[in-house]
Amino acid sequence: MTEKQTSGELLVNGDFATGDFTGWSLWDGVYMSVVPNEGGHVAVLKPVPYNIGQWLGQLVVRDRSDGDYAVGFWLRTSDAYGNPVPGVTRKVTSVMSIHPYDDLGIGYTFHFPSVATSSWRKYTWKFSVKGRLNQGFSFSFLNERKRPDGSLALPEGTQGYEMVMVPNEGQEPETLNEPDDDNCSVAIRNATIFKA
């Protein structure tokens, strides 16, 4: 957990440069690894049954949270070594929750729709926080297989939060409408929450 960061990069080890999950929290880490790839490191999330509850995340607590933010990461399909898997699309659940530690309002959950293909793709979203003081930002990746009812798996502790859809800053990939191969791992690199 990072505390009282005022501006700049809020995530610790978002590029996995340490070669491990320093700064990150894992639930059921047997399904995740950090591997060397293309001169750096990437996190690989293996697919798991929908009821396992696997996630990779980070919590950042800020005293002064008003302002403009950018959230982003790079994503692609992956084998166990971070190498691309051609001909496969994998829809990925990435969620950021804003926890109202200041008691000045409700909590929010931002669902960032993204899809992995065999080529690296950068996703970036921007949002603003107004009228708030002390908040916690939790950023999570999940790689659960599809649930029978098609519902979205959300991190624990976000029940009752308002769901907010934020458009991707770049062009939305056509692959968002492609079939989802939920038996494929995904690789993640250069995750960021940046406070302007």
Side-chain angles (χ1 to χ4, degrees):
M1 179 173 67
T2 303
E3 296 185 7
K4 301 179 181 178
Q5 179 77 23
T6 57
S7 62
E9 179 57 53
L10 305 185
L11 289 183
V12 174
N13 194 31
D15 57 1
F16 308 101
T18 60
D20 57 22
F21 286 113
T22 297
W24 294 88
S25 297
L26 292 76
W27 180 261
D28 208 338
V30 70
Y31 294 99
M32 298 177 240
S33 59
V34 173
V35 297
N37 189 274
E38 298 180 356
H41 289 87
V42 299
V44 175
L45 277 62
K46 299 175 185 175
V48 295
Y50 74 88
N51 58 350
I52 291 292
Q54 170 201 343
W55 59 271
L56 168 67
Q58 230 179 97
L59 175 66
V60 179
V61 178
R62 302 194 66 248
D63 279 345
R64 296 180 298 280
S65 52
D66 271 10
D68 299 321
Y69 294 81
V71 174
F73 53 85
W74 291 76
L75 189 68
R76 78 173 175 196
T77 57
S78 174
D79 63 14
Y81 305 101
N83 300 312
V85 178
V88 173
T89 57
R90 176 69 173 113
K91 294 179 182 176
V92 177
T93 300
S94 52
V95 176
M96 191 187 70
S97 298
I98 299 181
H99 309 287
Y101 295 160
D102 56 13
D103 296 323
L104 295 176
I106 64 172
Y108 294 94
T109 297
F110 294 81
H111 173 222
F112 302 127
S114 52
V115 64
T117 66
S118 60
S119 298
W120 285 112
R121 179 173 178 85
K122 182 180 181 181
Y123 288 94
T124 305
W125 296 268
K126 293 182 180 178
F127 65 95
S128 296
V129 172
K130 305 293 182 195
R132 304 301 289 265
L133 297 174
N134 186 14
Q135 293 186 120
F137 296 79
S138 60
F139 188 35
S140 304
F141 294 99
L142 304 94
N143 198 26
E144 293 184 352
R145 292 190 172 102
K146 290 187 283 288
R147 294 170 174 253
D149 62 1
S151 66
L152 176 66
L154 295 176
E156 291 293 322
T158 60
Q159 291 75 16
Y161 283 22
E162 181 178 326
M163 176 74 77
V164 180
M165 297 299 289
V166 182
N168 181 23
E169 286 292 302
Q171 182 179 359
E172 292 293 348
E174 295 177 5
T175 48
L176 278 174
N177 299 318
E178 293 291 323
D180 179 17
D181 184 342
D182 67 354
N183 195 37
C184 185
S185 298
V186 294
I188 301 162
R189 72 178 189 191
N190 299 333
T192 182
I193 300 177
F194 189 85
K195 168 68 170 64

